[in-house]
Amino acid sequence: MAAKDLFQPAQIRRAVAQKAAISPFVLYPAVLSGLGVVTGALFGFGGLALGVVGFGAATAVTAFATEFGWRRDEHAKNILMQATRKMEQRRQHVISSIKQELAGLDLPLAAEQVDTFDVKFSTFVAVLADRFAITELTYARYLGVAEQVYLSGLDNIRNAMIAQKALGAINADRLRQRIAGLSASAPERPALLSRFEGFNSTLAQISELLLLNEKALTQLDDVTQRLARTKVERGMADSDTESAIAELHRQGLRLAEYASQ
């Protein structure tokens, strides 16, 4: 399961169930039960074969109930934190490369967004740590959602940088002058118009990428403010904060989808 699909309750339960199903405490007794079935099919279901089948099945079911029930939150936290650590490692690598390349590009808003994402994410983490213990499942889930949004925003900035580099090969002013000086029937006019349309399309793509990031930053602000006001009971935030984190998750998915196009 991709990290971007992992941070909502239904996806978490599915991931935990998958982890529980392949636990050695579940898998080995299940295999033993299967061997008992094979043995019974080949040599008849005597007392030994039935005993092996029953013991293996009962042990596997009990172990699965333990892994998916009693240890569910522990498994969920481990799964989420592992995914979050991977995103954090990738984010640090992306930030390092972006900052070096941005210095040579005319993208002031993108450069500003790199710093803004860092400040707002750090603020969110600080407020989150005040509200929940880092050992709680809600902490891991909220942190993962914010990390996903941060990383997807950086991917959008990187895509905007690539697009800006492509624009560097086009002298738009010169292109505009050439088009203006041509007659409507000039043979080179269609090619120049196509080139100019491509230039404008790339400009629009850069603007859209950075606009999506601004919306994500606003949503991250909103979640941070709601989290600061939330009433925490038994490791759970109130419905207002849960609604905000769900919207932040959706925003992160939109960012990730656009960044991958």
Side-chain angles (χ1 to χ4, degrees), residues 35-113:
L35 290 175
V37 170
V38 172
T39 301
L42 292 175
F43 304 107
F45 284 97
L48 179 60
L50 289 175
V52 169
V53 171
F55 174 78
T59 303
V61 169
T62 302
F64 182 84
T66 300
E67 296 292 318
F68 188 65
W70 182 56
R71 298 187 64 194
R72 180 172 57 189
D73 283 0
E74 177 187 347
H75 287 318
K77 285 183 292 187
N78 290 338
I79 291 170
L80 294 180
M81 292 308 294
Q82 182 179 21
T84 300
R85 281 192 293 271
K86 288 181 180 179
M87 287 191 293
E88 181 183 8
Q89 291 170 357
R90 181 165 173 254
R91 168 170 59 85
Q92 295 296 344
H93 175 72
V94 171
I95 288 175
S96 177
S97 62
I98 279 179
K99 286 187 174 181
Q100 292 178 9
E101 295 184 42
L102 269 174
L105 294 173
D106 184 22
L107 279 176
L109 180 56
E112 179 182 327
Q113 285 184 353

Side-chain angles (χ1 to χ4, degrees), residues 247-259:
E247 178 55 35
L248 183 64
H249 176 67
R250 287 189 289 270
Q251 185 69 44
L253 292 178
R254 286 192 289 270
L255 285 175
E257 181 180 0
Y258 202 91

Side-chain angles (χ1 to χ4, degrees), residues 124 218-228 241 244-245 248:
F124 171 83
T218 299
Q219 189 63 38
L220 185 56
D221 256 342
D222 182 51
V223 171
T224 302
Q225 297 305 316
R226 294 198 199 190
L227 189 59
T241 306
I245 204 70
L248 183 64

Side-chain angles (χ1 to χ4, degrees), residues 159-196:
N159 286 339
M161 291 166 55
I162 294 171
Q164 183 67 28
K165 289 177 183 178
L167 293 183
I170 301 175
N171 187 330
D173 291 336
R174 176 57 182 157
L175 191 57
R176 193 180 295 110
Q177 290 173 1
R178 289 183 63 189
I179 293 171
L182 292 173
S183 65
S185 59
E188 66 269 37
R189 184 179 177 84
L192 295 180
L193 284 173
S194 177
R195 196 184 309 168
F196 192 63

Side-chain angles (χ1 to χ4, degrees), residues 99-195:
K99 286 187 174 181
Q100 292 178 9
E101 295 184 42
L102 269 174
L105 294 173
D106 184 22
L107 279 176
L109 180 56
E112 179 182 327
Q113 285 184 353
V114 173
D115 293 333
T116 305
F117 264 114
D118 183 55
V119 170
K120 293 189 182 299
F121 178 77
S122 298
T123 302
F124 171 83
V125 173
V127 173
L128 183 65
D130 283 339
R131 285 303 189 192
F132 300 98
I134 61 174
T135 56
E136 292 184 76
L137 177 58
T138 302
Y139 178 92
R141 185 162 66 87
Y142 283 18
L143 178 62
V145 170
E147 187 73 65
Q148 171 197 354
V149 169
Y150 192 170
L151 180 57
S152 297
L154 291 174
D155 283 340
N156 275 347
I157 290 173
R158 185 167 56 179
N159 286 339
M161 291 166 55
I162 294 171
Q164 183 67 28
K165 289 177 183 178
L167 293 183
I170 301 175
N171 187 330
D173 291 336
R174 176 57 182 157
L175 191 57
R176 193 180 295 110
Q177 290 173 1
R178 289 183 63 189
I179 293 171
L182 292 173
S183 65
S185 59
E188 66 269 37
R189 184 179 177 84
L192 295 180
L193 284 173
S194 177
R195 196 184 309 168

Side-chain angles (χ1 to χ4, degrees), residues 228-250:
R229 299 190 301 265
T230 193
K231 296 178 180 178
V232 179
E233 295 181 3
R234 297 185 302 279
M236 295 294 292
D238 61 20
S239 59
D240 188 48
T241 306
E242 276 292 329
S243 174
I245 204 70
E247 178 55 35
L248 183 64
H249 176 67
R250 287 189 289 270

